[in-house]
Amino acid sequence: MQDTAALAPQTGRPALILASSSRYRRELLERLRIPFDTAVPAIDETPQPGETPEATALRLAVAKARAVAAALPASAGRSLVIGSDQVATFDGHQIGKPGTHERALEQLRAMRGREVLFHSALSLLDSATGRTDTVDVVTKVRFRDLPDAALDAYLRAEQPYDCAGSAKSEGLGIALLEAIESDDPTALIGLPLIALTRMLLAAGYPLLTTPQEARE
C-alpha cells in the first residue's frame, strides 16, 4: 500500500484518496480537477461462494476503502476514501479480466450478439465518522455479432486484457457494441462519476469552487 503519511489537507478540504491501482479509475477521477492521492488496498478479491455479482462488487468496493482508511496515520486528519469494484456477468456467471489474448477472444466469441451486465460498485468512506455511502450502478451492454477475424483484429489493436468483458468502450472497443444502457456513462469505464460527485457533495466536499475558495 502506498505511504499516505503526507495526506493531511493543506486547505479546508478533507483529503481525497482513491483506493485503487487502476489507471482507468485514476484517469476518470482526474476529470473532476480536484486534488487526490492513490493507495493500493491489499485485499482478497475472490468472490465468496453463492455471492451474487452485485454483492461481490459492493463488498469489494467497501473493503478497498476500509483497508486504505485503516492504514491512515492519525496526522492525516479527515479523509474521504473512494473504493470501487466492477463485476461483469453473462449468462449468470461472473466474467473476470481475460489476462491473455486467447481468453479475451474466447470471451468475445461467447458474448457476441448477447447482453452483458456490468455492476460498477462505488463506496465513499468518511474517516472522521466511519460513515460509508455505497451504490451499485448497473450498465447493460449488447455486443454486436461480429466474425472471429474482426474480434481478433480488435484485440490485437487495443489489447484490453486488463478489462472485464475484453473491450474498452472509451476506445476502439465501441465498435464491438450495439448498445449501452446506463444512468452513468462513466460507470462502464470503472468509476461512476455521477454517483461519486453526488456522494462528495453530500459529504460537504467542494467540487465547483474558484481558485481563491480552493485556497481558503
Side-chain angles (χ1 to χ4, degrees), residues 1 17 19 41-43 58-72 81-84 123-127 130-134:
M1 181 179 295
I17 308 169
I43 65 168
L58 286 169
R59 177 178 59 82
L60 293 178
V62 171
K64 290 175 182 179
R66 286 178 177 171
V68 168
L72 291 174
V81 185
I82 303 166
S84 187
S123 172
L124 183 68
L125 185 152
D126 189 331
S127 68
R131 182 179 184 274
T132 301
D133 195 359
T134 61

Side-chain angles (χ1 to χ4, degrees), residues 16-20 29 65 80-84 122-124 191 196:
L16 190 63
I17 308 169
L18 176 63
S20 177
L29 189 54
L80 297 176
V81 185
I82 303 166
S84 187
L122 179 67
S123 172
L124 183 68
L191 188 65
L196 177 59

Side-chain angles (χ1 to χ4, degrees), residues 86-141:
Q86 186 180 80
V87 175
T89 63
F90 171 69
D91 278 352
H93 300 288
Q94 295 192 21
I95 304 170
K97 299 174 183 177
T100 66
H101 180 91
E102 291 72 24
R103 291 184 62 187
L105 184 57
E106 182 181 350
Q107 281 190 359
L108 292 180
R109 282 171 172 165
M111 297 184 299
R112 56 184 165 197
R114 307 290 296 280
E115 183 176 86
V116 179
L117 297 182
F118 289 81
H119 292 269
S120 302
L122 179 67
S123 172
L124 183 68
L125 185 152
D126 189 331
S127 68
T129 64
R131 182 179 184 274
T132 301
D133 195 359
T134 61
V135 69
D136 173 38
V137 180
V138 180
T139 303
K140 295 180 181 180
V141 177

Side-chain angles (χ1 to χ4, degrees), residues 22 24-25 28 31 84-88 117-122 135-141 164 169-170 180-196:
S22 168
Y24 305 112
R25 293 191 178 107
L28 283 169
R31 295 185 187 183
S84 187
D85 191 77
Q86 186 180 80
V87 175
L117 297 182
F118 289 81
H119 292 269
S120 302
L122 179 67
V135 69
D136 173 38
V137 180
V138 180
T139 303
K140 295 180 181 180
V141 177
S169 63
E170 69 275 25
I180 299 175
E181 298 179 29
S182 178
D183 293 332
D184 192 330
T186 58
L188 185 58
I189 306 174
L191 188 65
L193 291 183
I194 291 177
L196 177 59

Side-chain angles (χ1 to χ4, degrees), residues 14-72:
L16 190 63
I17 308 169
L18 176 63
S20 177
S21 61
S22 168
R23 62 187 176 93
Y24 305 112
R25 293 191 178 107
R26 185 179 67 249
E27 290 168 357
L28 283 169
L29 189 54
E30 287 172 348
R31 295 185 187 183
L32 300 184
R33 303 186 181 185
I34 52 179
F36 70 92
D37 211 322
T38 60
V40 181
I43 65 168
D44 181 1
E45 299 190 29
T46 305
Q48 295 179 351
E51 193 172 44
T52 66
E54 176 183 4
T56 298
L58 286 169
R59 177 178 59 82
L60 293 178
V62 171
K64 290 175 182 179
R66 286 178 177 171
V68 168
L72 291 174

Side-chain angles (χ1 to χ4, degrees), residues 153-176:
Y154 164 69
L155 292 174
R156 295 187 183 283
E158 200 152 56
Q159 300 182 7
Y161 308 135
D162 59 347
C163 299
S166 304
K168 296 181 182 180
S169 63
E170 69 275 25
L172 179 59
I174 198 70
L176 275 61

